Amino acid sequence: MLPSSSINGSCESMIRETVRICSSEGTQTLKPKYIPKVIPVGLPVHHLLTAVQNAKIVGRDEPQKKFLTIGIPSVARKKGNYISSTLNSLINRSTAEEQRQITVVVLLADSDSSVRMYRAKWLSSQYKKYIDSGFLHIIETVPDIYPSFENLRHTFNDPDSRVRWRAKQVVDFAFSLSYGMTLSEYYLILEDDVECAPHYVKAIQEFIKIQKKDWVSLSFTGFLIIGRLLKSSDLERLVSFLMLFYSEKPVDLLILQYIDLMVPSRTVITRRVPSLFQHVGIHSSLDGKVQKLKDKKYSASIRKYQVVNPEADLVTSMKTYETYYPEMAYGLSYGYFWAMAPKANDTLDIIFHEPQNVTKIYIMSGSNDHVNDILVNGVLQVSPHFINLVSDYKAECENFVPVAGFEKGIVNVTLSNFLTQCVRIKVTMTQKNWLVISEIAIFK
């Protein structure tokens, strides 16, 4: 990955040189009378970074960086008001401890200052508790960051009104990103009309933890940029990119193009499934635009048992499908491990960091979406002591003891305070169907 100084120093000249190539796909220039003699490309980033210092309406400053900033640009719609339901979802589906690790930044991006002030007062009264705690910041746009939006080049065969709307939206997103640069380690892009899954904070933390390769962006939905996680250290580069191309493409396509330029490998799969956020809005901030798409991979499901499992490492000899790692079945947030057809003697080993007095183990295979992907023939084994890793795929533990067999894809076994450091799921017969492990619950 290129250092920030290199990107900031050379990106502008390189991108200006290739702007026609970068923005040509899927575009169509309209009549020449709409094209100015000099196409406006680029806005001054330093002006934006200065302007954000005067953007905050309410919000408590924190002495230290948090784990996550959630950025939500918002414009009042003529039909539908979704911001309160979005904030309620973020609050109700996170714990008080998780909320202390988050700053939610709502950017009021309405062009009319009276509308911004009205919305700010309403939100301040409704969410005073969360503003006082530092969980919620409300900021507003600064009018002089925007260009005139006149004589912009028409791309994607969009009419003049839509070109101006989407160009302003790009600047809005850049402004929100600029405000969040120093608040936390990570930045999550959301919109003001989403619902979030239970334990979404824990799920994000767990998904970051299990990444095996370097990444530029992680995705928690099937949409283009809703639910996109970025490293805060990369935000200044992204803002520079957006401000260069604000008039060329919609903001979602620009952000995806930036990620494509920066991504270290095309083979790295960085989307979490099930998705953590669902788009619920219908009416857009652009008059007349209706958006009814839903993420079919979103799930608001919760585990059968809301158990915080002991800290552990998980290794398996089974071939994992995409990012459905074993850890997805072990965390508190809903997810599952998905393996291609397992063979006899394949194993999934759970190695506790410290021995635990285990009283019960519940393991469920299969899911509502994959009812046939159960473990048909398998056994659960436990061991009191971890010795070492035989390989990256299998643990060596002392005196494994079988404690239960899988019946209809499930193990539910009670133990008598059995001192345990290793838990093993062992396949006893090759099967044609793939295998889903949808829940692992360890009771102490």
Side-chain angles (χ1 to χ4, degrees):
M1 186 179 296
L2 294 174
S4 178
S5 59
S6 173
I7 289 289
N8 292 336
S10 63
C11 184
E12 182 167 346
S13 59
M14 177 187 71
I15 293 174
R16 288 178 185 274
E17 179 81 15
T18 59
V19 63
R20 181 184 61 80
I21 297 172
C22 288
S23 60
S24 61
E25 287 190 14
T27 67
Q28 178 176 337
T29 304
L30 297 183
K31 295 178 181 179
K33 67 179 182 179
Y34 290 107
I35 304 177
K37 292 180 180 179
V38 179
I39 297 173
V41 177
L43 292 171
V45 176
H46 65 86
H47 182 52
L48 192 76
L49 298 178
T50 302
V52 296
Q53 299 174 18
N54 301 314
K56 185 166 66 176
I57 300 175
V58 291
R60 193 184 80 183
D61 292 328
E62 299 290 341
Q64 296 181 330
K65 281 189 175 184
K66 294 187 178 182
F67 162 67
L68 180 67
T69 298
I70 300 176
I72 306 176
S74 179
V75 174
R77 295 161 166 80
K78 290 185 176 179
K79 293 183 178 180
N81 177 19
Y82 306 107
I83 184 63
S84 59
S85 62
T86 298
L87 290 175
N88 291 341
S89 184
L90 288 168
I91 291 166
N92 294 334
R93 291 188 165 174
S94 59
T95 65
E97 174 58 33
E98 288 170 340
Q99 289 168 17
R100 285 190 281 272
Q101 303 176 59
I102 300 173
T103 299
V104 177
V105 178
V106 175
L107 168 63
L108 301 179
D110 307 273
S111 298
D112 188 331
S113 61
S114 64
V115 174
R116 295 199 302 270
M117 286 300 98
Y118 173 82
R119 300 181 71 209
K121 288 180 180 179
W122 186 85
L123 288 170
S124 297
S125 65
Q126 295 294 312
Y127 297 98
K128 184 179 185 301
K129 170 184 174 182
Y130 300 98
I131 292 169
D132 292 343
S133 71
F135 175 77
L136 177 62
H137 286 204
I138 301 173
I139 67 173
E140 65 172 335
T141 53
V142 179
D144 60 3
I145 67 170
Y146 298 102
S148 67
F149 297 129
E150 296 297 328
N151 296 322
L152 297 179
R153 185 167 70 158
H154 289 225
T155 56
F156 297 90
N157 204 25
D158 283 345
D160 193 57
S161 59
R162 190 180 180 106
V163 171
R164 289 196 301 269
W165 171 80
R166 75 180 203 214
K168 178 186 178 297
Q169 190 178 55
V170 173
V171 180
D172 291 342
F173 269 76
F175 193 76
S176 180
L177 290 162
S178 298
Y179 184 86
M181 281 182 187
T182 60
L183 298 180
S184 60
E185 187 176 0
Y186 300 102
Y187 185 100
L188 181 73
I189 299 171
L190 282 189
E191 294 188 358
D192 64 355
D193 52 355
V194 301
E195 171 190 303
C196 49
H199 307 295
Y200 67 93
V201 179
K202 187 68 172 176
I204 292 170
Q205 292 172 328
E206 290 170 347
F207 197 65
I208 292 172
K209 185 177 179 180
I210 64 177
Q211 295 307 305
K212 304 182 187 308
K213 296 182 180 180
D214 192 20
W215 55 273
V216 173
S217 170
L218 301 179
S219 179
F220 295 95
T221 73
F223 298 105
L224 295 180
I225 61 170
I226 299 174
R228 281 274 173 179
L229 186 77
L230 302 162
K231 299 173 184 175
S232 294
S233 57
D234 290 336
L235 294 186
E236 187 171 352
R237 291 176 244 191
L238 175 56
V239 169
S240 298
F241 188 85
L242 294 178
M243 297 300 274
L244 276 171
F245 288 127
Y246 75 95
S247 62
E248 296 299 311
K249 290 184 178 182
V251 65
D252 48 3
L253 298 185
L254 284 177
I255 291 176
L256 289 182
Q257 186 168 355
Y258 166 82
I259 292 170
D260 284 343
L261 288 170
M262 299 298 296
V263 72
S265 171
R266 294 284 189 269
T267 63
V268 177
I269 299 170
T270 53
R271 180 187 170 191
R272 184 194 191 274
V273 179
S275 300
L276 296 179
F277 304 97
Q278 178 65 283
H279 184 263
V280 297
I282 296 175
H283 301 285
S284 171
S285 58
L286 177 64
D287 287 348
K289 182 182 178 184
V290 175
Q291 173 65 279
K292 295 183 178 180
L293 289 177
K294 299 293 182 183
D295 186 343
K296 294 181 180 179
K297 297 294 185 180
Y298 170 76
S299 175
S301 300
I302 59 174
R303 306 270 191 213
K304 178 181 176 68
Y305 295 107
Q306 295 291 291
V307 174
V308 178
N309 287 326
E311 289 289 322
D313 296 311
L314 286 77
V315 294
T316 183
S317 63
M318 291 176 258
K319 189 172 182 180
T320 302
Y321 178 63
E322 293 189 349
T323 56
Y324 295 85
Y325 302 122
E327 291 87 349
M328 297 285 285
Y330 194 73
L332 185 61
S333 58
Y334 180 74
Y336 50 85
F337 166 56
W338 201 5
M340 300 180 189
K343 299 178 176 59
N345 297 316
D346 270 341
T347 56
L348 191 164
D349 292 334
I350 305 165
I351 309 155
F352 302 142
H353 293 175
E354 299 291 338
Q356 306 289 325
N357 286 313
V358 176
T359 60
K360 178 179 175 178
I361 299 175
Y362 174 84
I363 299 173
M364 177 180 177
S365 64
S367 69
N368 290 337
D369 295 333
H370 306 283
V371 294
N372 294 320
D373 290 354
I374 66 172
L375 183 53
V376 180
N377 295 283
V379 63
L380 182 70
Q381 302 174 332
V382 296
S383 161
H385 179 63
F386 167 69
I387 299 173
N388 61 18
L389 285 176
V390 178
S391 68
D392 291 340
Y393 314 107
K394 194 168 187 176
E396 180 183 2
C397 299
E398 183 180 281
N399 299 328
F400 267 116
V401 176
V403 292
F406 279 78
E407 296 182 8
K408 297 182 179 179
I410 294 175
V411 156
N412 191 359
V413 59
T414 300
L415 305 174
S416 300
N417 284 320
F418 193 93
L419 187 65
T420 304
Q421 192 170 16
C422 301
V423 175
R424 170 173 287 176
I425 300 171
K426 184 175 181 180
V427 180
T428 55
M429 186 178 295
T430 300
Q431 62 183 57
K432 293 181 179 180
N433 284 359
W434 287 21
L435 172 63
V436 164
I437 302 292
S438 53
E439 183 166 350
I440 299 172
I442 308 294
F443 296 81
K444 298 181 291 179

